[in-house]
Amino acid sequence: RLAFAVAAHLEPEILLVDEVLAVGDAAFQKKCLGKMGDVAKEGRTVLFVSHNMAALLNLCPRSILLVAGQSRQDGPSSEVVREYINSGRTNQGEVIWEDMSQAPGNDVVRVHAVRVISNSQVTSDVEIDQALQIEMEFWNLRPGAELSSSIHLLDRMGSGVLASANMHSANLIRDEWFGAPHPAGLYRTTCVIPANFLNTETYSINAIVLADVTEIQAFAREVVSFTVHETGAMRQEYGGGWLGVVRPRLAWQTEMLQPLNGQHGPGG
Protein backbone atom coordinates (compact mmCIF):
# COMPACT_ATOMS: atom_id res chain seq x y z
CA ARG A 1 0.00 0.00 0.00
CA LEU A 2 2.82 2.39 0.84
CA ALA A 3 4.66 1.50 -2.36
CA PHE A 4 1.61 2.27 -4.46
CA ALA A 5 1.01 5.56 -2.66
CA VAL A 6 4.60 6.67 -3.23
CA ALA A 7 4.70 5.56 -6.87
CA ALA A 8 1.36 7.16 -7.72
CA HIS A 9 2.31 10.56 -6.29
CA LEU A 10 5.71 10.73 -8.02
CA GLU A 11 3.81 11.42 -11.26
CA PRO A 12 5.83 8.97 -13.41
CA GLU A 13 5.37 8.81 -17.17
CA ILE A 14 4.77 5.05 -16.86
CA LEU A 15 3.04 3.58 -13.80
CA LEU A 16 3.61 -0.20 -13.51
CA VAL A 17 1.14 -1.76 -11.05
CA ASP A 18 1.41 -5.48 -10.26
CA GLU A 19 -1.56 -7.07 -8.44
CA VAL A 20 -2.09 -4.03 -6.21
CA LEU A 21 -5.74 -5.03 -5.74
CA ALA A 22 -4.69 -8.23 -4.01
CA VAL A 23 -4.04 -6.26 -0.81
CA GLY A 24 -6.06 -3.78 1.20
CA ASP A 25 -9.72 -3.40 1.89
CA ALA A 26 -12.46 -2.31 -0.51
CA ALA A 27 -11.88 1.40 0.18
CA PHE A 28 -8.16 1.09 -0.63
CA GLN A 29 -8.87 -0.85 -3.81
CA LYS A 30 -11.38 1.76 -4.93
CA LYS A 31 -8.85 4.51 -4.24
CA CYS A 32 -6.22 2.64 -6.29
CA LEU A 33 -8.53 2.28 -9.26
CA GLY A 34 -9.45 5.93 -9.05
CA LYS A 35 -5.80 7.02 -8.99
CA MET A 36 -4.89 4.80 -11.93
CA GLY A 37 -7.82 6.20 -13.87
CA ASP A 38 -6.66 9.74 -13.13
CA VAL A 39 -3.12 8.95 -14.29
CA ALA A 40 -4.43 7.51 -17.57
CA LYS A 41 -6.66 10.55 -18.19
CA GLU A 42 -3.63 12.81 -17.80
CA GLY A 43 -2.05 11.11 -20.81
CA ARG A 44 0.44 8.98 -18.90
CA THR A 45 0.78 5.21 -19.30
CA VAL A 46 -0.58 2.68 -16.80
CA LEU A 47 0.60 -0.92 -17.11
CA PHE A 48 -1.82 -2.86 -14.91
CA VAL A 49 -1.00 -6.48 -14.09
CA SER A 50 -3.93 -8.33 -12.53
CA HIS A 51 -6.15 -11.39 -12.41
CA ASN A 52 -9.12 -9.19 -11.46
CA MET A 53 -11.02 -9.28 -14.75
CA ALA A 54 -13.74 -6.82 -13.74
CA ALA A 55 -11.20 -4.17 -12.74
CA LEU A 56 -9.19 -4.79 -15.90
CA LEU A 57 -12.24 -4.37 -18.13
CA ASN A 58 -13.21 -1.13 -16.39
CA LEU A 59 -9.72 0.36 -16.47
CA CYS A 60 -7.92 -0.90 -19.57
CA PRO A 61 -9.07 -0.51 -23.19
CA ARG A 62 -6.22 -2.79 -24.34
CA SER A 63 -4.85 -5.96 -22.73
CA ILE A 64 -2.13 -8.52 -23.33
CA LEU A 65 -2.55 -12.16 -22.30
CA LEU A 66 0.70 -13.79 -21.18
CA VAL A 67 1.06 -17.58 -20.99
CA ALA A 68 4.36 -19.02 -19.72
CA GLY A 69 6.01 -15.64 -20.36
CA GLN A 70 4.85 -15.47 -23.99
CA SER A 71 2.24 -13.19 -25.49
CA ARG A 72 -0.79 -15.22 -26.55
CA GLN A 73 -3.14 -12.36 -27.43
CA ASP A 74 -2.95 -8.56 -27.69
CA GLY A 75 -6.05 -6.51 -28.37
CA PRO A 76 -9.28 -5.05 -26.96
CA SER A 77 -9.69 -6.04 -23.31
CA SER A 78 -13.09 -7.67 -23.82
CA GLU A 79 -11.62 -10.07 -26.40
CA VAL A 80 -8.49 -10.83 -24.38
CA VAL A 81 -10.47 -11.48 -21.19
CA ARG A 82 -12.76 -13.84 -23.10
CA GLU A 83 -9.73 -15.77 -24.37
CA TYR A 84 -8.22 -15.91 -20.87
CA ILE A 85 -11.39 -17.31 -19.34
CA ASN A 86 -12.11 -19.74 -22.17
CA SER A 87 -8.53 -21.07 -22.03
CA GLY A 88 -9.22 -22.42 -18.56
CA ARG A 89 -12.67 -23.82 -19.29
CA THR A 90 -13.91 -26.48 -21.64
CA ASN A 91 -17.54 -26.22 -22.63
CA GLN A 92 -19.13 -29.46 -21.58
CA GLY A 93 -22.87 -29.96 -21.85
CA GLU A 94 -23.02 -33.19 -19.85
CA VAL A 95 -21.18 -34.86 -16.99
CA ILE A 96 -22.02 -38.38 -15.79
CA TRP A 97 -20.58 -40.15 -12.76
CA GLU A 98 -20.68 -43.88 -13.47
CA ASP A 99 -18.90 -44.67 -10.20
CA MET A 100 -21.20 -43.59 -7.38
CA SER A 101 -18.33 -43.51 -4.89
CA GLN A 102 -16.64 -40.75 -6.94
CA ALA A 103 -19.78 -38.65 -7.43
CA PRO A 104 -20.48 -35.41 -5.51
CA GLY A 105 -22.50 -36.05 -2.38
CA ASN A 106 -22.51 -38.13 0.79
CA ASP A 107 -24.25 -41.13 2.33
CA VAL A 108 -27.64 -39.48 1.74
CA VAL A 109 -27.40 -38.23 -1.86
CA ARG A 110 -25.05 -38.78 -4.77
CA VAL A 111 -25.24 -36.88 -8.07
CA HIS A 112 -25.40 -39.18 -11.08
CA ALA A 113 -25.50 -36.71 -13.99
CA VAL A 114 -25.93 -33.06 -14.94
CA ARG A 115 -26.66 -31.96 -18.50
CA VAL A 116 -27.80 -29.09 -20.72
CA ILE A 117 -30.49 -29.87 -23.29
CA SER A 118 -31.71 -27.67 -26.15
CA ASN A 119 -33.73 -28.77 -29.17
CA SER A 120 -34.06 -32.17 -27.46
CA GLN A 121 -30.30 -32.73 -27.59
CA VAL A 122 -27.49 -32.61 -25.06
CA THR A 123 -25.37 -29.61 -26.02
CA SER A 124 -22.97 -26.92 -24.89
CA ASP A 125 -24.14 -24.52 -27.63
CA VAL A 126 -27.55 -22.89 -27.30
CA GLU A 127 -29.16 -20.45 -29.73
CA ILE A 128 -30.55 -17.37 -28.02
CA ASP A 129 -34.09 -17.97 -29.29
CA GLN A 130 -34.24 -21.54 -27.97
CA ALA A 131 -35.27 -22.62 -24.49
CA LEU A 132 -32.88 -24.86 -22.60
CA GLN A 133 -33.25 -27.41 -19.84
CA ILE A 134 -30.86 -28.09 -16.99
CA GLU A 135 -31.25 -31.73 -15.93
CA MET A 136 -29.81 -33.22 -12.77
CA GLU A 137 -30.01 -36.90 -11.87
CA PHE A 138 -29.27 -38.01 -8.34
CA TRP A 139 -29.43 -41.09 -6.17
CA ASN A 140 -31.30 -40.93 -2.90
CA LEU A 141 -29.62 -43.44 -0.59
CA ARG A 142 -31.62 -42.80 2.56
CA PRO A 143 -35.29 -43.87 2.31
CA GLY A 144 -37.62 -41.14 3.49
CA ALA A 145 -35.19 -38.22 3.03
CA GLU A 146 -37.07 -35.00 2.24
CA LEU A 147 -35.08 -33.54 -0.65
CA SER A 148 -35.11 -30.46 -2.86
CA SER A 149 -33.05 -29.40 -5.88
CA SER A 150 -31.37 -26.13 -6.82
CA ILE A 151 -29.05 -24.61 -9.42
CA HIS A 152 -26.80 -21.56 -9.55
CA LEU A 153 -26.26 -20.02 -12.97
CA LEU A 154 -22.88 -18.24 -13.23
CA ASP A 155 -21.47 -16.01 -15.95
CA ARG A 156 -17.97 -16.43 -17.44
CA MET A 157 -16.52 -14.32 -14.61
CA GLY A 158 -17.99 -16.70 -12.02
CA SER A 159 -20.51 -14.09 -10.85
CA GLY A 160 -23.99 -15.27 -9.96
CA VAL A 161 -26.66 -14.59 -12.58
CA LEU A 162 -29.51 -16.35 -10.83
CA ALA A 163 -30.42 -19.12 -8.43
CA SER A 164 -33.44 -21.35 -8.80
CA ALA A 165 -34.96 -24.22 -6.86
CA ASN A 166 -37.92 -26.58 -7.12
CA MET A 167 -39.53 -25.22 -3.94
CA HIS A 168 -43.20 -24.34 -4.42
CA SER A 169 -42.73 -20.61 -3.80
CA ALA A 170 -40.08 -20.34 -6.55
CA ASN A 171 -41.65 -22.66 -9.11
CA LEU A 172 -43.87 -21.67 -12.05
CA ILE A 173 -45.44 -25.12 -11.84
CA ARG A 174 -45.78 -27.56 -8.96
CA ASP A 175 -43.17 -30.24 -8.29
CA GLU A 176 -44.87 -32.84 -6.11
CA TRP A 177 -41.49 -34.27 -5.05
CA PHE A 178 -40.36 -31.03 -3.41
CA GLY A 179 -39.92 -31.62 0.31
CA ALA A 180 -41.65 -34.98 0.07
CA PRO A 181 -40.14 -38.16 1.54
CA HIS A 182 -38.10 -39.80 -1.23
CA PRO A 183 -37.92 -43.59 -1.39
CA ALA A 184 -34.42 -44.84 -2.19
CA GLY A 185 -33.76 -44.62 -5.91
CA LEU A 186 -32.61 -42.58 -8.89
CA TYR A 187 -34.35 -39.26 -9.60
CA ARG A 188 -34.24 -36.67 -12.37
CA THR A 189 -35.10 -33.01 -11.78
CA THR A 190 -35.37 -30.45 -14.58
CA CYS A 191 -35.24 -26.65 -14.66
CA VAL A 192 -36.31 -24.78 -17.81
CA ILE A 193 -34.70 -21.47 -18.81
CA PRO A 194 -36.88 -19.75 -21.43
CA ALA A 195 -35.83 -18.63 -24.88
CA ASN A 196 -34.77 -15.00 -25.39
CA PHE A 197 -33.78 -14.66 -21.76
CA LEU A 198 -30.00 -15.08 -21.53
CA ASN A 199 -27.59 -12.82 -23.38
CA THR A 200 -24.84 -14.11 -25.68
CA GLU A 201 -22.34 -15.30 -23.09
CA THR A 202 -20.73 -18.43 -21.66
CA TYR A 203 -22.39 -19.74 -18.50
CA SER A 204 -21.73 -22.51 -16.00
CA ILE A 205 -23.94 -24.38 -13.55
CA ASN A 206 -23.66 -25.32 -9.90
CA ALA A 207 -25.98 -28.28 -9.22
CA ILE A 208 -27.19 -28.79 -5.65
CA VAL A 209 -29.35 -31.28 -3.75
CA LEU A 210 -30.57 -30.34 -0.28
CA ALA A 211 -32.37 -32.01 2.61
CA ASP A 212 -35.00 -30.06 4.54
CA VAL A 213 -34.43 -27.13 2.10
CA THR A 214 -31.31 -25.83 3.90
CA GLU A 215 -28.91 -28.76 4.38
CA ILE A 216 -26.68 -29.28 1.34
CA GLN A 217 -26.16 -32.97 0.65
CA ALA A 218 -24.51 -32.74 -2.78
CA PHE A 219 -22.84 -29.78 -4.52
CA ALA A 220 -21.39 -30.10 -8.03
CA ARG A 221 -19.52 -26.83 -8.67
CA GLU A 222 -19.44 -25.43 -12.23
CA VAL A 223 -20.15 -28.94 -13.37
CA VAL A 224 -21.36 -28.12 -16.89
CA SER A 225 -21.07 -25.03 -19.07
CA PHE A 226 -22.70 -23.75 -22.23
CA THR A 227 -22.56 -20.79 -24.58
CA VAL A 228 -25.56 -18.82 -25.83
CA HIS A 229 -25.15 -17.82 -29.48
CA GLU A 230 -26.60 -14.99 -31.56
CA THR A 231 -29.19 -15.78 -34.24
CA GLY A 232 -29.73 -12.28 -35.62
CA ALA A 233 -33.39 -12.17 -34.59
CA MET A 234 -32.77 -9.12 -32.36
CA ARG A 235 -30.42 -7.40 -34.82
CA GLN A 236 -32.91 -5.95 -37.30
CA GLU A 237 -32.65 -2.41 -35.90
CA TYR A 238 -29.53 -2.48 -33.71
CA GLY A 239 -26.23 -4.22 -34.31
CA GLY A 240 -24.20 -3.19 -31.27
CA GLY A 241 -23.54 -4.91 -27.98
CA TRP A 242 -26.28 -5.55 -25.43
CA LEU A 243 -25.50 -4.74 -21.81
CA GLY A 244 -25.90 -7.42 -19.16
CA VAL A 245 -26.09 -11.17 -18.83
CA VAL A 246 -29.83 -11.35 -19.52
CA ARG A 247 -31.45 -10.16 -22.73
CA PRO A 248 -35.20 -10.76 -22.49
CA ARG A 249 -37.81 -9.51 -24.92
CA LEU A 250 -40.00 -7.23 -22.81
CA ALA A 251 -43.32 -5.54 -23.57
CA TRP A 252 -43.01 -1.89 -24.63
CA GLN A 253 -45.69 0.56 -25.80
CA THR A 254 -45.55 4.27 -26.62
CA GLU A 255 -48.46 6.72 -26.74
CA MET A 256 -48.80 10.39 -27.63
CA LEU A 257 -50.09 12.38 -24.70
CA GLN A 258 -50.68 15.63 -26.57
CA PRO A 259 -50.04 16.73 -30.18
CA LEU A 260 -47.93 19.84 -30.76
CA ASN A 261 -48.63 22.24 -33.65
CA GLY A 262 -50.98 19.87 -35.34
CA GLN A 263 -48.39 17.11 -35.57
CA HIS A 264 -49.59 13.55 -35.21
CA GLY A 265 -47.85 10.24 -34.84
CA PRO A 266 -47.50 7.21 -37.14
CA GLY A 267 -50.54 6.59 -39.28
CA GLY A 268 -51.73 10.21 -39.13
Side-chain angles (χ1 to χ4, degrees), residues 148-151 163-172 178 191 210 213:
S148 59
S149 306
S150 176
I151 64 165
S164 188
N166 70 332
M167 62 183 70
H168 296 324
S169 60
N171 200 339
L172 287 176
F178 165 71
C191 174
L210 308 98
V213 184

Side-chain angles (χ1 to χ4, degrees), residues 226-248:
F226 63 94
T227 299
V228 176
H229 297 280
E230 184 67 71
T231 62
M234 292 179 67
R235 296 294 184 183
Q236 297 178 32
E237 300 88 6
Y238 175 67
W242 290 79
L243 177 69
V245 291
V246 294
R247 198 170 107 184

Side-chain angles (χ1 to χ4, degrees), residues 256-264:
M256 176 181 280
L257 299 179
Q258 182 178 348
L260 183 64
N261 298 328
Q263 299 296 312
H264 295 277

Side-chain angles (χ1 to χ4, degrees), residues 90-96 113-117 121-125 133-135 223-226:
T90 301
N91 271 24
Q92 190 170 13
E94 180 180 51
V95 173
I96 300 174
V114 183
R115 60 182 62 92
V116 178
I117 296 178
Q121 295 182 332
V122 174
T123 184
S124 60
D125 295 291
Q133 298 172 214
I134 308 298
E135 286 189 356
V223 59
V224 293
S225 61
F226 63 94

Side-chain angles (χ1 to χ4, degrees), residues 195-245:
N196 295 308
F197 179 74
L198 297 176
N199 206 347
T200 50
E201 168 73 276
T202 296
Y203 302 88
S204 59
I205 296 288
N206 293 339
I208 307 155
V209 183
L210 308 98
D212 301 321
V213 184
T214 58
E215 299 174 3
I216 295 177
Q217 304 298 320
F219 193 113
R221 186 180 302 276
E222 297 189 52
V223 59
V224 293
S225 61
F226 63 94
T227 299
V228 176
H229 297 280
E230 184 67 71
T231 62
M234 292 179 67
R235 296 294 184 183
Q236 297 178 32
E237 300 88 6
Y238 175 67
W242 290 79
L243 177 69
V245 291

